[in-house]
Amino acid sequence: MRARAAIAAKTLRTDRWWFAPLITVIGLSAWVAYATVRVFMHKWYWVEDYHYLTPFYSPCVTDRCLPEASHFGQYLPGWWIIPDAAFTLPFLLLFRLTCYYYRKAYYRSFWLSPPACAVPDGHASYGGETRFPLIVQNSHRYFFYFAAIISLINTWDAILAFHSPEGFGFGLGNLILLGNVIMLWAYTISCHSCRHIIGGRLKTFSKHPVRYRAWGYVSWLNVRHMQLAWITLGTLALTDFYVMAVSAEWISDLRFIN
């Protein structure tokens, strides 16, 4: 029997296989840094004149929150270590962390497990997702339900924002809030768990035409789940920054009606 060739190199790939993991590390790290700073700033999250509320502070539930921005009540003490949206942020974080795409993204980029196809794993062994903390990944389907509820809350915030001192109003902020909500819904329902809930257990599609059509739409979005994951990070940051800028009076909202 002939011996296998001895190859000293860790990989024979000559392309820039490291570029995608590097960009992922930079992108996710920058977003997490921005979001962390904003969550603990405890200011510039509400625009009184137009009822703009940033999604990073929705719903605002600490007794530090402005009464006008507390659409669902104030239940927690206003300690600086407690985010003002403490009821929703943990579930949104867990929904993203356990998302099938994000698992692939941070497994490859932060954990180097593996960093790319045909490139050795950065760890000597892999125990799978059967032990803590990775066993939590199996709860993704349940975090999906919380994410759907939070998307409803964000939708309600976007509806309330059609406001001005004279009554109904419409401005650039409304377009940004609406765009963010639409992208959040697209990302949420493109989730693999949503696709399974709609049509995963059906044995005969012809007997369930409505669910089959819905499954087809979700499947179309599911193919774009990675793109939507990144787009929503962008829309969330843009929405928050715009609300912050208007609230801090760095800029004025561009109004179309009132």
Side-chain angles (χ1 to χ4, degrees):
M1 181 180 295
R2 297 180 61 183
R4 297 182 63 183
I7 301 175
K10 290 186 176 182
T11 179
L12 297 180
R13 291 186 60 170
T14 57
D15 62 321
R16 296 190 301 171
W17 57 265
W18 47 266
F19 185 74
L22 176 62
I23 291 298
T24 301
V25 168
I26 294 173
L28 290 180
S29 297
W31 194 90
V32 169
Y34 172 84
T36 302
V37 170
R38 279 295 291 140
V39 163
F40 292 105
M41 283 181 68
H42 303 302
K43 62 179 180 179
W44 299 335
Y45 57 85
W46 170 253
V47 179
E48 173 63 26
D49 286 345
Y50 312 126
H51 289 189
Y52 292 163
L53 178 63
T54 171
F56 285 0
Y57 285 74
S58 177
C60 211
V61 295
T62 67
D63 58 18
R64 183 197 308 106
C65 297
L66 296 172
E68 302 83 359
S70 304
H71 302 151
F72 297 91
Q74 300 177 349
Y75 307 99
L76 298 177
W79 301 337
W80 73 268
I81 197 64
I82 299 179
D84 292 306
F87 283 171
T88 56
L89 291 178
F91 293 107
L92 286 176
L93 178 62
L94 288 169
F95 178 62
R96 297 258 176 178
L97 281 175
T98 59
C99 166
Y100 291 134
Y101 165 68
Y102 281 116
R103 289 190 221 180
K104 169 190 171 183
Y106 64 77
Y107 281 7
R108 287 190 170 188
S109 57
F110 289 91
W111 293 353
L112 304 177
S113 183
C117 295
V119 177
D121 197 305
H123 304 272
S125 62
Y126 172 64
E129 296 175 344
T130 59
R131 294 179 298 179
F132 185 83
L134 294 185
I135 195 172
V136 179
Q137 307 283 33
N138 298 311
S139 300
H140 178 65
R141 70 192 71 178
Y142 303 111
F143 298 135
F144 162 75
Y145 295 118
F146 287 103
I149 294 172
I150 296 168
S151 292
L152 286 173
I153 294 174
N154 293 148
T155 303
W156 178 245
D157 292 336
I159 294 173
L160 290 181
F162 287 98
H163 177 276
S164 77
E166 289 78 30
F168 174 82
F170 182 78
L172 178 58
N174 295 101
L175 291 178
I176 293 175
L177 286 167
L178 282 175
N180 179 59
V181 164
I182 292 171
M183 290 296 102
L184 286 178
W185 273 116
Y187 168 69
T188 302
I189 65 176
S190 70
C191 168
H192 296 74
S193 295
C194 179
R195 184 170 180 264
H196 177 73
I197 290 169
I198 292 176
R201 296 189 177 186
L202 295 181
K203 294 183 178 179
T204 308
F205 279 131
S206 60
K207 294 182 180 180
H208 305 273
V210 175
R211 290 182 63 183
Y212 174 62
R213 176 160 293 191
W215 179 82
Y217 289 140
V218 171
S219 297
W220 183 84
L221 285 172
N222 180 257
V223 176
R224 296 155 179 81
H225 195 55
M226 179 185 74
Q227 291 89 337
L228 291 169
W230 282 100
I231 289 172
T232 49
L233 291 184
T235 59
L236 281 167
L238 172 63
T239 303
D240 176 78
F241 185 82
Y242 186 83
V243 173
M244 175 175 63
V246 176
S247 177
E249 299 183 350
W250 299 339
I251 61 173
S252 298
D253 186 38
L254 177 61
R255 304 300 293 174
F256 306 122
I257 301 176
N258 291 332

